[in-house]
Structure formats: structure tokens, C-alpha cells
Amino acid sequence: MMKSYAPKTMAELPASLAALTPESKIVGGGTDFVIRLHSGAVQPDALCYLGHIPELKKIEKQGDTISVGAYCTMTQMEHDPIVREYLPALMDAAADVGSLQIRNNGTIGGNLGNASPAGDLIPVMYLYDAKVEIASPNGTRIVPVTDVILRPGKTILEANEAFIRFLFPVPAFKSAFVKLGSRKKVTISRIGVALGLDMDGDYVREMKMFAGAVAIKPVAFEKACDFMKGKTINEQNVLDVAGFLSDYIAENVAPEFDRDYKVYASRGVVTDVFDRILGRL
Amino acid sequence: MTLNFILNGRPTELEVSPDKRLLDLLREDLGLTGTKEGCGEGECGACTVIIDGEAMHSCLVLACQLEGKSVLTIEGLEQNGELDKIQKIFIEETAIQCGFCTTGMIMSTKALLMHNPHPTETEIRNALAGNICRCSGYTQILRAVKRTSEEA
């Protein structure tokens, strides 16, 4: 019979992790994993669920860092006052994941652990320079989120390791995220754009932009950000920024991954994310 | 594993494999067949139940996640042999055609009204966005949810 570990405290966590093998699986909310489990695509020898540990469900601000437990759900992040004030792009991304039933169950740890190119929260983690704390039987280590994903479905996590919390530096810039799907609700991301703006009056001092669902990992648009330095946000400049995204997609996305549609849709999604962030300046 | 959880208000203990889906545990182990399996992938919402006050897909929750949690299914809505107000109004408004999505629609509605007794139409649509009715009886369903909230 399959083994199961569900520690209830941080003190019990190392022993549970020590019992896991390379065939074992950490279960987050399960909204992606259970589908593969039920189809037989994965056949683990043990399941480990950490959602009973209170610390892993907490969102806290400590000095200049916001800590988000790995088992915080999308719904929790969407409504959390700290997230809404300091990490609005995380709120945007969490609020747009799947349906309410998925958002009530899906977790931030699972979103990264699943390592899907369409993972909604991942471009936002890149935008905010997030780090993730990883627990093992011997203690914890902290790693930049940008180092975590190796390929679709595969992260740097070793067999005895689990994400326990995410660390977001309080950003000194305004931020927003917009996802384009094939319909308004309950949709899989086709392009997700995370945008950060530090303004000097009407002029852009610094910009950060990452796009998700166009490559294995979120893509940084440094040239678009350099282009916007010292400029105002007007229709032409926004369209030029969209041009960096559509050029990237035209050159790098294979035709069977809806390349032509994504090239065309870049303009709309970039316009939308600027509109959203302008409402927050 | 031995699982202890609250099912429709009653403490429940059973021996179950940790990888068993809540949906199968309800239907096969406990004989509660009111909860339906549609797509089995979290798209259709037919299997929606309420866990610790939130609507979730019972096809995407495993036994190993359930220890100590409180699960409410369609069978838990009736009180003293009387259907819940939502169920009565769904019947009166003919918000049911083939009936397969109905359990999920009602459980999503129940969760919504537990949090927000007087939702706007937008809030109702958001709460039910993850529930698909292939008979396409959405107009009657929306009307039933609205009437339930107005008469609460």
C-alpha cells in the first residue's frame, strides 16, 4: 500500500522528508498532480502533504520581506491585504487562475513545483526577484526562483526536499500582471505579462517586464525596458514595447504552439497590462 | 492510512489508500453517490463539494490531504428531511435538465451564499464560472441562485 506522510508541525517535517525516495511525491493542492496520478502517468511509492503545517499557510511582512507560505492558496493570495498592498501583480495572477474551485485549492508552491511553462504565478515571481526556501531533512536553503525550473515539469528539488515558503523583497516599483487566455475565465495562459514600473513624474525611471507561457521559463524583456527609460507612457511607446514581445514570439515560438495568434495578441496583452498599472500609479 | 475527518457534520473514520480521490472515497467507500464525476480534470465542476467552507473539486483532492477537514456534500444539505432552500428553488425554477451538473451547481451556490448572502450577478457568475451545464440551462440556474439570495 502506498505510504503517506502528513506532518502537522515544522518539527515533524524533517523526519517526513527523510522518509521520501526519488519515487515519492510532495502534494500541494493537487489541482494538476491528481490528474496525472489518476491517469497512472505517475506512480509514486509515497505521498507527502504539508498543508497541515500552520506556518506554510501564512502570509507575513517582516521588515523589507514578504513571506508567503508554500501552501497558501490562490484565493488566499487574491484577498490577502499584504499581497494586495505590496504585491498586486501576485494578486492579479492568483485571481485569474482557473475557476474558483481551483483557486480555493491550488497553491503557490504547487504552481512553481509543477513547473508548467503556463504557470501563472511564475512570471510574477521573476518580476519581484522572489526567492524560495527549500526544506530538507538537514535544514533549509534559500534559492532564487529563477534557478528553480530545469525543464517543463522538472525543478531542482531533490527527492527529500520541499518548498516551504517564498520570500518577496518589498518592491520599490508599481506592478501588474495580465494574462491572455482563449476565453475570459477558467482558461490556461497563452501569454502572461508581468510589468513593473518605477516612475519619475510622467517619465519611466526603470521598467521590468517578464512574459510567461512563451518559453519553458519566463522571458525577461531587457531591451524593451531599456527602450522605455526616460520615456512617457503613450500609445506609440506601449505599441513599441508590444513589438519586442511579438518579435520574440515570431522568432522563438514554434508554429504549433499558436505562434501566429500569440504574435497578433501581444499588442492587446501589453496594452492591457499598461492600462492596469496606470490605474495604480 | 486511517483517515479522520468531518463529513456532513459527523466525525468519520475510515481505512483508505492515501492516493484515493475524495470523489471515489465518497461514492465507493461511503455510498454517497450524489457527487458526480464529469471530466475528472477540474474543468466541469460536477464533482464540487465544500471543504472547510470553500468550493473545491472532489476529483482533485486526495485522502492524504483530508485529515481533520470538514467536507460538505449534497447529501449534507437537507435538514430534518427537508431539502435546502437552494435545492427547492432549483426545482421550482426548472434550473435542472439532465441533472448531472446540478450537484456541483448547488454546492458552488451554497459556498457562495455562505460567504456572501446577497451576491451581485457578477459575483454569481464568477462563483459559477467553473461549473459547466451541457444542457445549457444557465438562465434558469442564474435565476434560481438570485431568487435564493433574495429570499434568504
Side-chain angles (χ1 to χ4, degrees):
Chain A
M1 191 158 173
M2 188 180 292
K3 293 195 182 86
S4 170
Y5 305 94
K8 291 196 162 64
T9 65
M10 287 300 280
E12 293 170 17
L13 175 63
S16 296
L17 293 174
L20 303 181
T21 77
E23 307 307 315
S24 309
K25 289 285 179 189
I26 309 279
V27 184
T31 54
D32 285 300
F33 172 68
V34 176
I35 299 171
R36 287 191 294 128
L37 180 73
H38 190 66
S39 73
V42 278
Q43 294 178 323
D45 60 351
L47 298 176
C48 181
Y49 177 69
L50 308 178
H52 298 310
I53 302 176
E55 285 88 343
L56 304 199
K57 306 203 81 167
K58 275 194 191 142
I59 299 174
E60 290 173 311
K61 181 171 175 289
Q62 293 152 329
D64 293 336
T65 303
I66 294 157
S67 151
V68 179
Y71 277 75
C72 289
T73 65
M74 303 297 164
T75 299
Q76 192 183 348
M77 290 182 280
E78 177 186 351
H79 297 293
D80 183 84
I82 296 170
V83 172
R84 293 180 84 94
E85 180 172 354
Y86 296 102
L87 307 170
L90 183 63
M91 171 193 76
D92 293 336
D96 234 3
V97 169
S99 59
L100 182 59
Q101 292 96 317
I102 297 284
R103 294 194 295 280
N104 285 340
N105 195 10
T107 63
I108 184 170
N111 202 257
L112 183 61
N114 197 45
S116 162
D120 287 294
L121 304 192
I122 304 170
V124 172
M125 294 175 187
Y126 277 49
L127 177 75
Y128 289 132
D129 290 319
K131 295 188 166 82
V132 61
E133 186 172 4
I134 296 172
S136 74
N138 309 314
T140 69
R141 59 183 177 129
I142 293 174
V143 177
V145 167
T146 49
D147 291 349
V148 169
I149 296 173
L150 298 176
R151 58 176 188 273
K154 181 69 189 163
T155 69
I156 58 166
L157 281 186
E158 302 283 344
N160 302 102
E161 290 186 320
F163 300 136
I164 54 169
R165 59 184 184 142
F166 291 81
L167 302 167
F168 294 87
V170 171
F173 52 88
K174 301 291 179 181
S175 50
F177 173 83
V178 164
K179 152 173 143 175
L180 172 84
S182 45
R183 55 190 176 195
K184 270 191 194 161
K185 297 277 170 194
V186 198
T187 190
I188 291 170
S189 184
R190 313 288 284 279
I191 308 175
V193 176
L195 186 70
L197 277 178
D198 177 22
M199 299 296 290
D200 181 4
D202 288 339
Y203 297 90
V204 174
R205 190 183 288 129
E206 290 283 343
M207 183 171 111
K208 298 176 80 174
M209 182 169 124
F210 293 88
V214 295
I216 290 166
K217 297 196 263 187
V219 177
F221 283 85
E222 281 134 4
K223 282 183 187 160
C225 298
D226 289 343
F227 164 81
M228 281 301 285
K229 260 185 206 170
K231 293 199 172 68
T232 58
I233 300 166
N234 60 36
E235 196 182 340
Q236 188 54 53
N237 287 340
V238 170
L239 289 180
D240 287 343
V241 170
F244 285 97
L245 177 59
S246 56
D247 287 352
Y248 173 86
I249 293 168
E251 285 163 24
N252 295 283
V253 173
E256 62 269 30
F257 290 111
D258 301 326
R259 181 187 65 199
D260 296 345
Y261 168 74
K262 287 181 174 179
V263 166
Y264 181 74
S266 299
R267 179 182 286 206
V269 70
V270 169
T271 304
D272 285 353
V273 75
F274 271 97
D275 281 350
R276 186 170 273 182
I277 210 167
L278 284 170
R280 293 177 180 162
L281 293 178
Chain B
M1 61 176 276
T2 306
L3 169 65
N4 280 284
F5 71 121
I6 312 287
L7 177 60
N8 295 330
R10 289 197 200 95
T12 303
E13 181 181 303
L14 74 163
E15 273 306 314
V16 65
S17 180
D19 60 336
K20 188 145 204 168
R21 303 180 306 171
L22 172 58
L23 172 71
D24 301 323
L25 188 158
L26 291 171
R27 292 181 58 88
E28 294 167 8
D29 297 38
L30 297 164
L32 297 178
T33 54
T35 304
K36 307 301 181 197
E37 175 161 23
C39 66
E41 312 191 322
E43 291 282 343
C44 76
C47 71
T48 302
V49 297
I50 298 176
I51 303 178
D52 287 348
E54 308 287 350
M56 291 187 204
H57 297 114
S58 61
C59 77
L60 297 181
V61 172
L62 300 176
C64 69
Q65 299 170 290
L66 279 174
E67 182 69 25
K69 291 187 181 169
S70 176
V71 176
L72 181 64
T73 71
I74 190 84
E75 289 88 351
L77 293 190
E78 63 131 276
Q79 299 279 338
N80 307 318
E82 275 226 21
L83 291 180
D84 188 279
K85 188 159 205 165
I86 302 170
Q87 293 170 301
K88 287 184 190 165
I89 294 180
F90 263 66
I91 297 166
E92 287 170 17
E93 293 291 339
T94 330
I96 301 168
Q97 288 186 46
C98 83
F100 205 81
C101 74
T102 307
T103 302
M105 289 285 179
I106 288 177
M107 296 314 287
S108 283
T109 304
K110 180 75 182 175
L112 170 67
L113 298 180
M114 282 162 59
H115 287 283
N116 180 0
H118 301 290
T120 62
E121 173 152 346
T122 307
E123 287 168 337
I124 296 172
R125 285 176 179 271
N126 269 335
L128 298 183
N131 291 81
I132 296 171
C133 168
R134 71 137 295 170
C135 306
S136 202
Y138 295 106
T139 307
Q140 294 89 330
I141 291 167
L142 276 175
R143 195 188 302 142
V145 177
K146 262 192 222 163
R147 221 191 101 194
T148 309
S149 69
E150 284 159 11
E151 293 181 15

Short mmCIF file of all heavy atoms in Angstrom, two decimals, chain A residues 222-246:
data_model
loop_
_atom_site.label_atom_id
_atom_site.label_comp_id
_atom_site.label_asym_id
_atom_site.label_seq_id
_atom_site.Cartn_x
_atom_site.Cartn_y
_atom_site.Cartn_z
N GLU A 222 14.62 42.83 -21.45
CA GLU A 222 15.51 43.92 -21.03
C GLU A 222 15.56 45.04 -22.07
O GLU A 222 15.62 46.22 -21.71
CB GLU A 222 16.93 43.37 -20.78
CG GLU A 222 17.05 42.69 -19.43
CD GLU A 222 17.76 41.35 -19.52
OE1 GLU A 222 18.24 41.00 -20.62
OE2 GLU A 222 17.83 40.65 -18.49
N LYS A 223 15.55 44.67 -23.35
CA LYS A 223 15.65 45.71 -24.39
C LYS A 223 14.42 46.62 -24.37
O LYS A 223 14.54 47.83 -24.55
CB LYS A 223 15.81 45.08 -25.77
CG LYS A 223 17.23 44.60 -26.01
CD LYS A 223 17.38 44.04 -27.40
CE LYS A 223 18.76 43.41 -27.55
NZ LYS A 223 18.79 42.46 -28.68
N ALA A 224 13.25 46.03 -24.13
CA ALA A 224 12.03 46.84 -24.04
C ALA A 224 12.13 47.78 -22.84
O ALA A 224 11.70 48.94 -22.91
CB ALA A 224 10.80 45.94 -23.91
N CYS A 225 12.72 47.29 -21.76
CA CYS A 225 12.85 48.09 -20.55
C CYS A 225 13.84 49.23 -20.78
O CYS A 225 13.60 50.37 -20.36
CB CYS A 225 13.26 47.22 -19.37
SG CYS A 225 12.03 45.94 -19.00
N ASP A 226 14.96 48.93 -21.44
CA ASP A 226 15.92 50.00 -21.78
C ASP A 226 15.27 51.04 -22.69
O ASP A 226 15.46 52.24 -22.51
CB ASP A 226 17.14 49.40 -22.51
CG ASP A 226 18.00 48.58 -21.56
OD1 ASP A 226 17.84 48.75 -20.33
OD2 ASP A 226 18.80 47.77 -22.04
N PHE A 227 14.49 50.56 -23.64
CA PHE A 227 13.80 51.45 -24.58
C PHE A 227 12.90 52.45 -23.85
O PHE A 227 12.80 53.61 -24.23
CB PHE A 227 12.99 50.60 -25.57
CG PHE A 227 11.95 51.36 -26.33
CD1 PHE A 227 12.30 52.11 -27.46
CD2 PHE A 227 10.62 51.36 -25.92
CE1 PHE A 227 11.34 52.83 -28.15
CE2 PHE A 227 9.65 52.08 -26.62
CZ PHE A 227 10.02 52.81 -27.74
N MET A 228 12.25 51.99 -22.78
CA MET A 228 11.27 52.85 -22.10
C MET A 228 11.91 53.84 -21.12
O MET A 228 11.24 54.77 -20.66
CB MET A 228 10.25 51.99 -21.34
CG MET A 228 9.15 51.40 -22.21
SD MET A 228 8.16 52.65 -23.08
CE MET A 228 7.14 53.28 -21.76
N LYS A 229 13.18 53.62 -20.79
CA LYS A 229 13.84 54.51 -19.81
C LYS A 229 13.78 55.96 -20.28
O LYS A 229 14.18 56.28 -21.41
CB LYS A 229 15.31 54.11 -19.64
CG LYS A 229 15.53 53.28 -18.40
CD LYS A 229 17.01 53.00 -18.19
CE LYS A 229 17.14 51.71 -17.40
NZ LYS A 229 18.51 51.23 -17.32
N GLY A 230 13.27 56.83 -19.42
CA GLY A 230 13.22 58.26 -19.73
C GLY A 230 12.06 58.64 -20.63
O GLY A 230 11.91 59.82 -20.98
N LYS A 231 11.24 57.65 -21.02
CA LYS A 231 10.11 57.96 -21.90
C LYS A 231 8.81 58.06 -21.10
O LYS A 231 8.72 57.59 -19.97
CB LYS A 231 9.99 56.88 -22.97
CG LYS A 231 11.15 56.85 -23.97
CD LYS A 231 10.74 56.09 -25.22
CE LYS A 231 11.78 56.21 -26.32
NZ LYS A 231 13.04 55.51 -26.03
N THR A 232 7.80 58.64 -21.74
CA THR A 232 6.47 58.66 -21.13
C THR A 232 5.70 57.43 -21.63
O THR A 232 6.08 56.79 -22.61
CB THR A 232 5.69 59.93 -21.52
OG1 THR A 232 5.61 59.97 -22.95
CG2 THR A 232 6.38 61.19 -21.02
N ILE A 233 4.59 57.17 -20.94
CA ILE A 233 3.75 56.04 -21.36
C ILE A 233 2.68 56.59 -22.28
O ILE A 233 1.71 57.18 -21.83
CB ILE A 233 3.12 55.35 -20.13
CG1 ILE A 233 4.23 54.83 -19.22
CG2 ILE A 233 2.21 54.21 -20.55
CD1 ILE A 233 3.76 54.45 -17.85
N ASN A 234 2.90 56.44 -23.57
CA ASN A 234 1.86 56.85 -24.52
C ASN A 234 1.59 55.68 -25.46
O ASN A 234 2.27 54.64 -25.42
CB ASN A 234 2.26 58.12 -25.27
CG ASN A 234 3.55 57.93 -26.07
OD1 ASN A 234 3.80 56.84 -26.61
ND2 ASN A 234 4.37 58.96 -26.13
N GLU A 235 0.60 55.84 -26.30
CA GLU A 235 0.12 54.72 -27.11
C GLU A 235 1.25 54.16 -27.98
O GLU A 235 1.42 52.94 -28.07
CB GLU A 235 -1.05 55.19 -27.98
CG GLU A 235 -1.84 54.04 -28.54
CD GLU A 235 -2.99 54.51 -29.44
OE1 GLU A 235 -3.40 55.69 -29.32
OE2 GLU A 235 -3.45 53.69 -30.24
N GLN A 236 2.03 55.06 -28.61
CA GLN A 236 3.07 54.58 -29.50
C GLN A 236 4.15 53.81 -28.74
O GLN A 236 4.60 52.75 -29.18
CB GLN A 236 3.70 55.76 -30.27
CG GLN A 236 4.66 55.32 -31.35
CD GLN A 236 4.03 54.31 -32.33
OE1 GLN A 236 2.97 54.56 -32.91
NE2 GLN A 236 4.65 53.14 -32.50
N ASN A 237 4.54 54.34 -27.58
CA ASN A 237 5.58 53.65 -26.81
C ASN A 237 5.11 52.28 -26.33
O ASN A 237 5.86 51.31 -26.32
CB ASN A 237 6.02 54.51 -25.62
CG ASN A 237 6.86 55.70 -26.07
OD1 ASN A 237 7.41 55.69 -27.18
ND2 ASN A 237 6.95 56.73 -25.24
N VAL A 238 3.84 52.21 -25.92
CA VAL A 238 3.29 50.92 -25.49
C VAL A 238 3.29 49.93 -26.67
O VAL A 238 3.65 48.77 -26.51
CB VAL A 238 1.88 51.11 -24.90
CG1 VAL A 238 1.19 49.76 -24.68
CG2 VAL A 238 1.96 51.87 -23.57
N LEU A 239 2.92 50.42 -27.84
CA LEU A 239 2.92 49.53 -29.02
C LEU A 239 4.34 49.08 -29.36
O LEU A 239 4.56 47.94 -29.77
CB LEU A 239 2.29 50.23 -30.22
CG LEU A 239 0.77 50.43 -30.13
CD1 LEU A 239 0.25 51.13 -31.38
CD2 LEU A 239 0.05 49.11 -29.92
N ASP A 240 5.31 49.98 -29.15
CA ASP A 240 6.70 49.59 -29.39
C ASP A 240 7.15 48.51 -28.41
O ASP A 240 7.88 47.58 -28.78
CB ASP A 240 7.62 50.81 -29.32
CG ASP A 240 7.47 51.71 -30.56
OD1 ASP A 240 6.91 51.24 -31.57
OD2 ASP A 240 7.89 52.89 -30.49
N VAL A 241 6.72 48.63 -27.15
CA VAL A 241 7.04 47.59 -26.17
C VAL A 241 6.39 46.27 -26.61
O VAL A 241 7.03 45.21 -26.59
CB VAL A 241 6.55 47.99 -24.76
CG1 VAL A 241 6.66 46.81 -23.80
CG2 VAL A 241 7.38 49.17 -24.24
N ALA A 242 5.15 46.33 -27.05
CA ALA A 242 4.47 45.13 -27.55
C ALA A 242 5.24 44.52 -28.71
O ALA A 242 5.28 43.30 -28.88
CB ALA A 242 3.03 45.45 -27.96
N GLY A 243 5.88 45.38 -29.50
CA GLY A 243 6.67 44.90 -30.63
C GLY A 243 7.83 44.01 -30.20
O GLY A 243 8.15 43.03 -30.88
N PHE A 244 8.46 44.34 -29.05
CA PHE A 244 9.54 43.48 -28.55
C PHE A 244 9.00 42.08 -28.24
O PHE A 244 9.65 41.07 -28.52
CB PHE A 244 10.16 44.08 -27.28
CG PHE A 244 11.06 45.27 -27.53
CD1 PHE A 244 10.58 46.56 -27.39
CD2 PHE A 244 12.38 45.08 -27.91
CE1 PHE A 244 11.40 47.67 -27.61
CE2 PHE A 244 13.22 46.18 -28.13
CZ PHE A 244 12.73 47.47 -27.99
N LEU A 245 7.79 42.04 -27.66
CA LEU A 245 7.19 40.74 -27.33
C LEU A 245 6.79 39.98 -28.59
O LEU A 245 7.10 38.79 -28.73
CB LEU A 245 5.97 40.96 -26.41
CG LEU A 245 5.17 39.71 -26.02
CD1 LEU A 245 6.03 38.69 -25.30
CD2 LEU A 245 3.98 40.09 -25.12
N SER A 246 6.14 40.68 -29.53
CA SER A 246 5.69 39.96 -30.73
C SER A 246 6.90 39.50 -31.56
O SER A 246 6.88 38.40 -32.14
CB SER A 246 4.70 40.78 -31.55
OG SER A 246 5.26 42.02 -31.90
#
